[in-house]
Every structure is written in structure tokens, then in C-alpha cells.
């Protein structure tokens, strides 16, 4: 038995769950692992297992951009490094707003272990595949975002495992994400090559987008808000009927961020009519929003995120040997190509026209 397994057993025993049956769940692109726990009485819970030492450190709020770059990717991007205390603190904030984040049943942040409420397996993506209508689910997801965006956004979150800072998704983090494209796409597609001058042009083209994204960072963003991370909770209605998971990397960001993650999904097609309907619903729920300015930022940050995701997928394929992510890339290219036509993105569109032929955008 490994030391880590003994640590899990000791944690479950201390939580009164030594007799629970354990069923491992499939992994994702992270260093976390999950198990479904079933007690002798039939209660289902989730064991979250995230060893803090498995990743580079999260950003300290005081670190400069240069220090963040020296410390590694989690610090650059202001990711939580999977810290349990981040998950618990974000969950506490979401639950305080009446939104459905899992209850924290037991936690040992130092050990990187927690037992959570189990929301089940009704991911939006799966229930839609099984015939559930899309629109009510997506509109409920928009209602959850409107609830979150209307609430005060604290700088420090407090949860069952202690405090956690809600950092700004700033220009360093946004540009760092975009730069994954120029770093990793040539390794996947050798026909692409970006010299130092091209990279300088790339960053200059994105600078207005990152500046607007940072200046508009006024709300908590889940940061990975899409149909694979939202769970239908039939016993709850409206925004509370949306089970929220995988939110440990939450930041203070532009309110469009989670909307474009939801509506320009890397993993499934969202009809254009549904995207428009969902955006209309958001503006109805938040009537003081400047629609024109919001949609300009929506397109710019969506394009940046799509470039980031293409870089992430290239890295997963090349470095991590996960070829299944190639299947998602055409969808991201389609979204990116469409967004490049939006006002304000002319410099970025010119960069792609000069350096990435349309034949390579697939």
C-alpha cells in the first residue's frame, strides 16, 4: 500500500467513512482524482484527492509579473494549483449566494483531501445527449451567472479550509494564456513558425484586449464554465438547479468570461440561435449592462480564450500524449475565425492572416 493510500484511509476513518465503498472516477486534464463514496446506508459522497506538491505554487498576491513568470505557470495564470482551500472558499461564497456548490463534508487542506456532497452524474452535456432540451439548461446557467455577477465580489474568500484570495485575471494572466498558442501550436503543426518579431506583433495585437479584460474584471468568474462542469439538479429550481463543480481556479474577471466559455464551448456545439438567446437573457437579467461594450469585450476575450485553448490542446497532445484533444480543435478554430471578424480585433485578424494561413486553421 502506498503512503498516499494510507493517508486516504486515515482521512476517511477520521471523517467516519472508513466503511464507505470507493469507486474511482475517470480523470481529466488536471492532477486531481475523484472517487465516489457509498456509505453502508446508501449515501453517496465524493472524495477529492489533490496533492498540493503535484503542481507549481499558486500566485502570491504580492508577486510581480516577473516573479510570477519565475515561479511557473500556475503563478502566471493565477491558477489555484488545485489547492483544496481554494475549492472550499469558492464553494462557501457560491453557497452564500444561494447557488449550488457542493457542501464540504470533511476536509484536510494540508493533506489535499476533502469529502464533498455528490451532485450525481447529470452533467448538462450528458443529459442533452440523452434528449433533454438545451435551452432551459443554458438559460438556468445564465441565471446562475447573473446571480453571481450581481453580488459583491470580495477580495478574500472564507471557507471550510480557511481564507483564499480572489485574484484579478489581469494582463499577465490573459497574455500568458494567449501565448500558449505561439508556444505550442508550432510543435503540433511544424508548418507554423513564429519568430521573435512575430511574437512581438502577437502581443501588441492582443494588448488592447487584455487591457480591457483586466480593466473590466469586476465579478467572480468560475473560469471553466461549460456543459461538462454543470450538473442538473432536478430537486432545485432556477439558478439553484445548476450544480457547480471544478471552480477552484476562480478569479475576479470580466463578466463576459464565463458566458463565452459556456456559449462557445470547446467540447460541444451550441447553436448560434441559443447563444444569442442566452446573451439576450443575460442582458434582461442585468439591464444596466452596456450591451455594445459588453459584446465587444465578449468577442475579444472569447477569441483570446480560444487561442489559449488551442495552445492548451496542442500541449496536451504533444507533451502529454493525449491525442483525443485534437478532435476539439476544429470547433475552437471555427469560433476563433468568427470572432476575428468582430470590431476591435482587426490587429489580431491581421496577425493571423499574416502568420497562420486559413488552411492551417482547422
Amino acid at each position: 500500500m502506498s503512503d498516499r493510500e494510507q493517508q486516504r484511509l486515515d482521512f476517511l476513518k477520521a471523517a467516519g467513512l472508513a466503511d464507505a465503498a470507493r469507486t474511482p472516477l475517470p480523470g481529466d486534464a488536471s492532477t486531481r482524482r475523484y472517487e465516489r463514496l457509498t456509505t453502508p446506508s446508501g449515501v453517496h459522497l465524493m472524495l477529492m484527492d489533490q496533492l498540493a506538491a503535484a503542481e507549481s505554487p499558486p500566485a502570491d498576491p504580492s508577486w510581480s509579473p516577473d516573479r510570477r513568470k519565475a515561479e511557473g505557470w500556475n503563478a502566471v495564470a493565477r491558477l489555484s494549483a488545485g489547492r483544496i482551500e481554494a475549492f472550499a472558499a469558492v464553494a462557501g461564497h457560491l453557497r452564500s449566494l444561494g447557488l449550488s456548490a457542493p457542501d464540504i463534508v470533511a476536509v484536510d487542506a494540508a493533506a489535499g483531501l476533502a469529502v464533498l456532497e455528490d451532485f450525481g452524474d447529470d452533467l448538462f452535456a450528458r443529459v442533452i445527449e440523452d434528449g433533454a432540451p438545451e435551452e432551459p439548461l443554458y438559460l438556468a446557467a445564465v441565471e446562475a451567472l447573473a446571480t453571481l455577477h450581481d453580488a459583491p465580489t470580495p477580495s478574500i474568500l472564507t471557507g471550510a479550509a480557511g481564507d483564499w484570495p480572489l485574484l484579478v485575471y489581469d494582463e499577465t494572466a490573459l497574455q500568458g494564456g494567449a501565448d500558449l498558442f505561439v508556444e505550442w501550436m508550432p510543435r503540433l503543426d511544424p508548418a507554423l513558425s513564429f519568430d521573435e518579431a512575430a511574437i512581438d506583433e502577437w502581443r501588441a495585437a492582443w494588448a488592447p484586449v487584455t487591457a480591457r479584460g483586466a480593466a473590466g474584471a469586476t465579478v467572480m468568474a468560475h473560469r471553466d464554465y461549460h456543459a461538462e462542469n454543470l450538473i442538473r439538479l432536478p430537486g432545485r429550481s432556477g439558478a439553484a438547479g445548476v450544480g457547480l463543480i471544478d471552480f477552484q481556479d476562480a478569479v475576479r474577471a470580466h463578466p463576459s468570461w464565463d458566458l463565452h466559455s459556456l456559449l462557445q464551448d470547446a467540447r460541444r456545439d451550441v447553436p448560434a440561435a441559443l447563444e444569442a438567446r442566452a446573451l439576450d437573457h443575460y442582458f434582461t437579467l442585468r439591464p444596466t449592462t452596456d450591451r455594445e461594450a459588453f459584446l465587444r469585450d465578449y468577442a475579444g476575450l472569447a477569441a483570446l480564450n480560444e487561442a489559449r485553448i488551442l495552445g492548451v490542446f496542442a500541449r496536451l497532445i504533444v507533451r502529454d500524449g493525449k491525442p483525443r484533444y485534437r478532435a476539439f480543435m476544429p470547433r475552437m478554430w471555427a469560433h476563433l475565425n468568427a470572432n476575428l471578424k468582430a470590431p476591435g480585433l482587426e490587429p489580431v485578424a491581421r496577425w493571423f492572416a499574416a502568420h497562420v494561413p486559413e488552411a492551417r486553421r482547422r
Side-chain angles (χ1 to χ4, degrees):
M1 179 186 300
S2 69
D3 291 344
R4 185 59 173 171
E5 175 60 11
Q6 185 61 58
Q7 199 170 23
R8 295 185 198 103
L9 291 173
D10 292 344
F11 172 69
L12 291 172
K13 181 178 180 180
L17 294 166
D19 295 332
R22 298 165 58 191
T23 305
L25 299 183
D28 58 13
S30 74
T31 56
R32 287 184 308 281
R33 61 189 298 273
Y34 290 93
E35 296 179 6
R36 174 162 281 130
L37 307 175
T38 305
T39 69
S41 62
V43 174
H44 293 297
L45 298 166
M46 298 295 293
L47 174 65
M48 176 190 283
D49 180 350
Q50 171 73 62
L51 191 63
E55 298 193 18
S56 62
D60 184 286
S62 68
W63 287 351
S64 68
D66 286 343
R67 173 70 185 276
R68 285 159 62 187
K69 292 170 186 174
E71 292 290 343
W73 176 245
N74 284 327
V76 170
R78 288 190 155 165
L79 296 168
S80 70
R83 297 298 172 87
I84 296 289
E85 53 267 45
F87 184 94
V90 176
H93 180 65
L94 295 171
R95 289 172 63 84
S96 75
L97 303 178
L99 298 174
S100 292
D103 188 21
I104 311 297
V105 176
V107 62
D108 183 340
L113 294 165
V115 175
L116 316 174
E117 178 182 6
D118 183 3
F119 280 163
D121 296 321
D122 283 348
L123 296 173
F124 278 20
R126 301 290 84 78
V127 299
I128 291 169
E129 288 173 355
D130 291 340
E134 290 178 298
E135 184 168 309
L137 294 171
Y138 275 84
L139 296 187
V142 169
E143 290 164 16
L145 288 181
T147 298
L148 181 59
H149 295 174
D150 281 339
T153 306
S155 298
I156 302 293
L157 306 175
T158 299
D163 293 344
W164 188 260
L166 188 69
L167 301 179
V168 175
Y169 203 17
D170 63 1
E171 286 140 304
T172 298
L174 289 164
Q175 187 63 58
D179 285 351
L180 292 176
F181 181 93
V182 291
E183 179 181 0
W184 286 97
M185 282 300 295
R187 305 189 199 189
L188 179 66
D189 184 353
L192 300 177
S193 178
F194 311 129
D195 60 19
E196 186 174 341
I199 292 173
D200 287 344
E201 292 168 11
W202 167 262
R203 290 174 179 158
W206 284 115
V209 177
T210 63
R212 288 175 67 87
T218 56
V219 303
M220 175 189 279
H222 177 294
R223 201 174 181 175
D224 204 14
Y225 198 76
H226 56 76
E228 300 276 355
N229 278 339
L230 304 175
I231 299 176
R232 183 179 64 179
L233 302 176
R236 311 181 196 187
S237 60
V242 181
L244 307 174
I245 60 172
D246 207 18
F247 44 68
Q248 59 281 338
D249 291 322
V251 286
R252 182 189 294 266
H254 193 287
S256 71
W257 191 268
D258 283 342
L259 276 167
H260 66 66
S261 295
L262 175 70
L263 301 173
Q264 298 189 9
D265 197 333
R267 295 162 182 81
R268 67 180 309 274
D269 293 323
V270 178
L274 179 54
E275 180 181 14
R277 173 76 179 91
L279 288 169
D280 284 342
H281 192 48
Y282 181 81
F283 295 129
T284 298
L285 294 170
R286 304 195 75 218
T288 61
T289 302
D290 181 334
R291 183 178 182 129
E292 182 178 353
F294 188 97
L295 289 176
R296 174 178 174 170
D297 292 343
Y298 175 90
L301 291 169
L304 183 146
N305 192 41
E306 285 141 11
R308 180 190 70 85
I309 290 170
L310 286 165
V312 169
F313 287 166
R315 184 176 64 186
L316 286 166
I317 295 163
V318 173
R319 186 191 70 184
D320 301 336
K322 296 181 178 181
R324 68 182 182 273
Y325 286 95
R326 190 183 288 272
F328 301 135
M329 297 182 80
R331 186 179 292 111
M332 283 291 91
W333 274 120
H335 287 313
L336 176 56
N337 288 333
N339 284 315
L340 289 178
K341 300 173 184 177
L345 283 177
E346 293 84 0
V348 181
R350 286 194 295 270
W351 187 93
F352 274 94
H355 298 287
V356 186
E358 289 193 16
R360 315 311 306 174
R361 302 185 213 172
R362 51 184 172 80

